[in-house]
Amino acid sequence: MEHPIISIQHVNKLFNTKRHKIQALQDINMEFGKGELVSIVGPSGCGKSTIIRLVDDIIKPTDGTITVDGITYDNNKPISKEMIRKLGFIFQVPNLYPWLTVKENVMLPLRIHGLSSPEYDENVQRLLKYVDMERYADAYPSELSGGMHQKIGVIRGMVHKPEMLMMDEPFGALDENTREMLNIELLHIWQETGMTIIFITHNVEEAVLLSQRVYVMASHPGRVVAELEVKFDRPRTLDLLADRTFGEYCTKIENLIGKIELKQIK
């Protein structure tokens, strides 16, 4: 990878509590190429979510450097509005506003960024159609299922056309069938938009299905133990789940995480 769009170099993160310091991340080195979909997988508490919060400048590293689209973050001041506009963030819980319709919830980032044009209006309609939610555009969150909420949370993070998208276990609370369906829809959207996506998950099969590469982490402190390239052709389908090589990838990642920590992610 000659020129990664996101580079994390020798990053450490310490959190101070009243009693002691907690080292959440230790010497993290990661790179993400333009247009890549890369997963970070590992047990709960290994610092996966901390990494994308650092990239999104929600928190600052204790030391080390983060460079995004050629700009190295300054730990003493926030990133620019221009950089914020390039980033999207999808949380574990969609947190839809109950008094807003589906369409209004999706459009919220456009209001925040002051973006208003026919191009963005068309993008709202396109994304709603892509996740089969167009007919619910005027419905309210109370009228939707949990899976529908998650769909809205996902496309809301994409509506302002970010160049880079951070996804923090967006499908973790869903049943297996809904999760698999949304994984395939995410692959379609990614291939169409060409965004760089960092996908956080504790589900090994999900990581292998979605990703071009997978970073495997361990905890106490959070650290990278391996980087694997996933060599399956595109487009990918759920048929891969029954593929022997797919199972071998999953087994390798599970063995890297280790039997003790694996209990936390099953």
Side-chain angles (χ1 to χ4, degrees):
M1 189 186 309
E2 292 184 7
H3 302 290
I5 194 168
I6 300 171
S7 177
I8 301 169
Q9 298 296 320
H10 303 295
V11 163
N12 295 286
K13 180 61 182 177
L14 270 65
F15 291 103
N16 293 311
T17 68
K18 291 182 178 180
R19 296 186 177 182
H20 48 75
K21 293 181 179 181
I22 298 173
Q23 183 155 15
L25 298 174
Q26 182 182 67
D27 196 29
I28 299 297
N29 295 278
M30 295 179 172
E31 292 185 338
F32 305 89
K34 186 175 178 61
E36 271 197 304
L37 198 167
V38 180
S39 286
I40 304 174
V41 66
S44 298
C46 71
K48 303 184 299 293
S49 297
T50 301
I51 288 171
I52 58 174
R53 280 162 170 75
L54 289 167
V55 175
D56 255 0
D57 200 46
I58 296 172
I59 58 176
K60 297 288 189 182
T62 303
D63 49 58
T65 60
I66 298 171
T67 303
V68 178
D69 201 18
I71 304 297
T72 299
Y73 288 5
D74 185 335
N75 290 348
N76 297 312
K77 63 181 182 181
I79 59 176
S80 68
K81 291 183 179 179
E82 181 184 1
M83 182 62 73
I84 292 172
R85 166 70 181 77
K86 294 180 180 181
L87 300 169
F89 199 108
I90 297 173
F91 298 91
Q92 295 178 23
V93 179
N95 294 320
L96 304 183
Y97 289 104
W99 58 87
L100 298 180
T101 66
V102 164
K103 185 175 181 179
E104 289 169 340
N105 268 289
V106 173
M107 294 180 68
L108 197 58
L110 300 180
R111 292 171 56 188
I112 292 171
H113 291 291
L115 301 171
S116 178
S117 71
E119 173 191 355
Y120 288 108
D121 292 339
E122 289 173 7
N123 196 40
V124 170
Q125 294 302 122
R126 183 179 62 84
L127 289 171
L128 285 169
K129 185 176 181 179
Y130 219 96
V131 294
D132 197 27
M133 291 293 293
E134 195 175 24
R135 63 185 181 277
Y136 298 102
D138 296 322
Y140 288 89
S142 60
E143 303 172 68
L144 308 178
S145 68
M148 290 176 175
H149 279 218
Q150 213 67 42
K151 286 183 178 183
I152 298 309
V154 168
I155 64 173
R156 182 177 59 187
M158 301 177 178
V159 73
H160 64 291
K161 297 187 175 182
E163 296 177 27
M164 294 152 279
L165 186 64
M166 316 295 126
M167 303 186 72
D168 189 4
E169 299 195 52
F171 309 139
L174 302 176
D175 64 85
E176 186 176 350
N177 289 337
T178 304
R179 180 184 204 141
E180 289 175 352
M181 177 189 67
L182 290 180
N183 281 332
I184 295 302
E185 289 181 350
L186 172 62
L187 285 173
H188 290 159
I189 293 172
W190 167 69
Q191 288 175 295
E192 183 177 303
T193 61
M195 283 185 293
T196 301
I197 296 178
I198 303 178
F199 192 93
I200 302 298
T201 183
H202 60 265
N203 186 291
V204 172
E205 288 189 350
E206 184 173 56
V208 175
L209 176 65
L210 292 175
S211 310
Q212 294 170 287
R213 290 185 297 119
V214 177
Y215 283 107
V216 183
M217 293 187 66
S219 56
H220 311 303
R223 61 200 185 278
V224 177
V225 295
E227 175 191 352
L228 281 76
E229 184 179 0
V230 181
K231 297 180 180 179
F232 288 122
D233 293 334
R234 304 283 180 176
R236 295 182 185 176
T237 69
L238 294 176
D239 292 340
L240 270 181
L241 299 176
D243 186 279
R244 179 180 175 180
T245 304
F246 184 93
E248 290 172 352
Y249 276 120
C250 292
T251 299
K252 184 172 184 177
I253 292 172
E254 290 169 355
N255 288 338
L256 283 165
I257 294 171
K259 292 182 179 179
I260 295 175
E261 294 196 50
L262 189 58
K263 294 177 182 177
Q264 303 177 44
I265 68 174
K266 285 293 189 184

